[in-house]
Amino acid sequence: MPRHTLVADIADPGATRVTIVGDEAKHAIRVKRVREGDTIRVLDGKGHAWQAGVLEARKSLVLELGERDVLPDVRPRLELATATPKGGRVDKMIDQLGQLGVAAWRPLNTQLGVVEPGANKLERLRRIADETVKQAVLPRPLRIEADLDLHAALEPASFDGPIVVADAMGKPYDPTGADHIRLLIGPEGGFTEQEYESMSGRGVRLMSLGTTVLRIETAAVAAASVMLDQERRAAG
Amino acid sequence: MPRHTLVADIADPGATRVTIVGDEAKHAIRVKRVREGDTIRVLDGKGHAWQAGVLEARKSLVLELGERDVLPDVRPRLELATATPKGGRVDKMIDQLGQLGVAAWRPLNTQLGVVEPGANKLERLRRIADETVKQAVLPRPLRIEADLDLHAALEPASFDGPIVVADAMGKPYDPTGADHIRLLIGPEGGFTEQEYESMSGRGVRLMSLGTTVLRIETAAVAAASVMLDQERRAAG
């Protein structure tokens, strides 16, 4: 494994030499003790990765880029809209979903939901998603998007692929073969009768995750794992 | 949903009235504000659940137990042995694995592993596993067991069911139909050549979880979710 991984904004994908400045350089040199002659890994968050030799590690980091690798995109693109777990639980959820290669997350507003993250919190979640790119060697970061009301999430104009809801009343997940899937997870108080009726009108699939009661973030990670596994299996 | 859930040591499963004292009673009355006339849920951590009417809520909690429910056991019994994530990450992992209905967890010692939790930490993890029983309405708590060396984990005398290892070189998980399965997850530095040879000698299955790099705790939750889902599906 390379000594360190960093994300750099590499405008020219054919570049052979880049200079990293600012916090990324400081962190690499002072905290990770990257030195001249080391080999590190560089990601651009746009699907590319390089092994890079360190030519200089003083105030800035001068790197010689090796051959460019193209990181495989995670298929299908899975977009989650979930009730927002409280406190630090949402941070951990974003990191875990990012590691799995989930494409996007946004807060889901429902009748019995309570927490709605503000703009500051969404910005913090974006920073967490960006950090996960390095650790999980992701082609691109999980996108954090604006909140969505359940009725809007179900409108065909909002999303034209299959919509799946994690729910104790559901069945095991069968693969859809679709390239773009939306997964909804409600609050710990559940959905109302009226909400179930709207879902049934839109033909959503209810997906069961066993007989125990899962917190939002565990349901999100478990459902995303099973869905990505099922779809990969079906795609061969 | 009931106003509160607590775990009580109910010696006689045919009991109709129980008195809860000590911390559980204090927490229910002072923090959760359980009052006379409320309905709460009682679990015994041995597979049973009751709705209970509160007859008295002063220093102790006197409950009238309704009909006894038998909570379904989670099948198969999945036992995890994993490298120990650092800091608070192991706490969160134990809570998440408990929610999924994993039967047991223990630290796995390998050549490139670094953190080994001491007796105090294992005791703290046991308390977390006990807490999860209430939130996830589990038939019984996740068992926290003593650490295990990889070579011991692979010995037929130690475990006679299928052994699965989460590994990037593996294939999607196929159900075994077994009632008792062991899952191993190595440290972030991976396994050594020698360790792969021992695994291959024992006929372990390597299970892939996609193309991204997962931290120990995310791999544990993702692998357990997929395995339980696959086995449930196969069992019909």
Side-chain angles (χ1 to χ4, degrees):
Chain A
M1 281 205 305
R3 189 176 168 73
H4 181 59
T5 298
L6 57 78
V7 177
D9 188 12
I10 298 181
D12 170 12
T16 56
R17 185 172 294 204
V18 293
T19 300
I20 311 291
V21 296
D23 286 344
E24 281 280 2
K26 229 183 257 180
H27 180 71
I29 296 166
R30 296 204 191 153
V31 181
K32 295 300 179 134
R33 304 190 168 280
V34 169
R35 296 287 175 262
E36 196 183 308
D38 285 346
T39 298
I40 68 171
R41 177 159 49 198
V42 179
L43 305 174
D44 69 355
K46 296 167 203 152
H48 307 121
W50 294 260
Q51 296 282 333
V54 178
L55 299 176
E56 195 184 304
R58 270 174 288 189
K59 284 201 167 166
S60 57
L61 206 55
V62 181
L63 303 175
E64 174 143 54
L65 300 180
E67 208 171 319
R68 187 178 62 151
D69 278 336
V70 176
L71 298 173
D73 268 323
V74 175
R75 287 283 179 252
R77 278 176 300 146
L78 193 54
E79 303 208 352
L80 267 65
T82 78
T84 305
K86 287 182 198 161
R89 291 162 44 206
V90 65
D91 299 21
K92 179 75 183 171
M93 179 178 79
I94 293 305
D95 180 43
Q96 290 192 305
L97 294 177
Q99 289 173 46
L100 293 171
V102 166
W105 176 84
R106 58 205 308 176
L108 180 68
N109 301 323
T110 63
Q111 288 175 2
L112 302 179
V114 282
V115 182
E116 193 197 315
N120 283 349
K121 190 163 201 172
L122 291 181
E123 203 41 51
R124 195 185 72 223
L125 296 179
R126 277 187 198 105
R127 287 196 298 272
I128 292 173
D130 287 345
E131 273 305 303
T132 303
V133 168
K134 302 180 201 176
Q135 179 264 312
V137 194
L138 298 181
R140 42 200 108 240
L142 172 83
R143 286 195 321 277
I144 304 289
E145 299 183 341
D147 62 310
L148 190 65
D149 291 342
L150 178 65
H151 67 84
L154 298 173
E155 273 167 21
S158 147
F159 192 80
D160 63 1
I163 298 182
V164 178
V165 177
D167 191 275
M169 314 285 282
K171 294 187 303 183
Y173 181 80
D174 287 320
T176 64
D179 188 51
H180 198 186
I181 305 174
R182 174 174 277 175
L183 168 67
L184 307 179
I185 297 181
E188 272 150 30
F191 295 109
T192 63
E193 279 302 317
Q194 200 191 339
E195 287 173 332
Y196 276 115
E197 274 167 31
S198 310
M199 290 193 249
S200 155
R202 171 65 163 86
V204 308
R205 304 162 166 234
L206 299 185
M207 166 189 191
S208 150
L209 292 161
T211 54
T212 59
V213 177
L214 304 181
R215 280 189 186 279
I216 297 162
E217 67 275 23
T218 307
V221 172
S225 300
V226 168
M227 291 170 73
L228 289 171
D229 179 72
Q230 282 289 315
E231 299 290 347
R232 270 196 297 267
R233 215 176 274 268
Chain B
M1 281 205 303
R3 186 173 172 73
H4 181 58
T5 298
L6 58 78
V7 176
D9 188 13
I10 298 181
D12 169 14
T16 56
R17 184 172 296 201
V18 292
T19 301
I20 312 291
V21 295
D23 286 345
E24 281 281 2
K26 230 184 255 179
H27 180 72
I29 296 166
R30 295 203 193 153
V31 181
K32 295 301 179 132
R33 303 190 169 278
V34 169
R35 295 290 174 261
E36 196 183 308
D38 285 347
T39 298
I40 68 171
R41 178 159 47 197
V42 178
L43 305 174
D44 68 357
K46 296 167 204 152
H48 308 121
W50 293 261
Q51 296 282 334
V54 177
L55 299 177
E56 196 185 304
R58 270 174 288 190
K59 285 203 165 165
S60 57
L61 207 54
V62 181
L63 303 175
E64 173 144 53
L65 299 180
E67 208 171 319
R68 187 180 62 151
D69 278 336
V70 176
L71 298 173
D73 269 321
V74 175
R75 286 283 179 255
R77 278 176 300 144
L78 192 55
E79 303 208 353
L80 267 66
T82 79
T84 305
K86 286 181 199 162
R89 291 162 45 208
V90 63
D91 300 21
K92 180 75 182 172
M93 178 178 79
I94 293 304
D95 181 43
Q96 289 192 306
L97 293 177
Q99 289 173 47
L100 294 171
V102 166
W105 176 83
R106 57 205 308 174
L108 180 68
N109 301 322
T110 63
Q111 288 175 3
L112 302 178
V114 280
V115 183
E116 193 198 313
N120 283 348
K121 191 163 200 173
L122 291 181
E123 202 41 51
R124 196 186 71 224
L125 296 178
R126 276 186 198 107
R127 286 197 298 273
I128 292 173
D130 287 345
E131 273 305 304
T132 303
V133 168
K134 302 179 202 177
Q135 178 264 310
V137 193
L138 298 181
R140 40 199 111 240
L142 172 83
R143 286 193 324 275
I144 304 290
E145 298 182 342
D147 61 312
L148 190 64
D149 291 342
L150 178 64
H151 67 84
L154 297 173
E155 275 167 19
S158 147
F159 191 80
D160 63 1
I163 298 182
V164 178
V165 177
D167 191 275
M169 315 283 282
K171 295 186 303 182
Y173 181 80
D174 287 321
T176 64
D179 187 50
H180 198 188
I181 306 173
R182 176 174 276 173
L183 169 67
L184 307 179
I185 297 181
E188 272 150 30
F191 294 108
T192 63
E193 279 302 318
Q194 200 192 338
E195 286 174 332
Y196 276 114
E197 275 167 32
S198 310
M199 288 192 252
S200 157
R202 170 66 164 85
V204 308
R205 303 160 167 236
L206 299 185
M207 167 189 190
S208 150
L209 293 161
T211 54
T212 58
V213 177
L214 304 181
R215 281 189 185 279
I216 298 162
E217 68 274 22
T218 307
V221 172
S225 300
V226 168
M227 291 170 73
L228 290 171
D229 179 71
Q230 282 288 315
E231 298 290 347
R232 269 196 298 268
R233 215 177 274 269

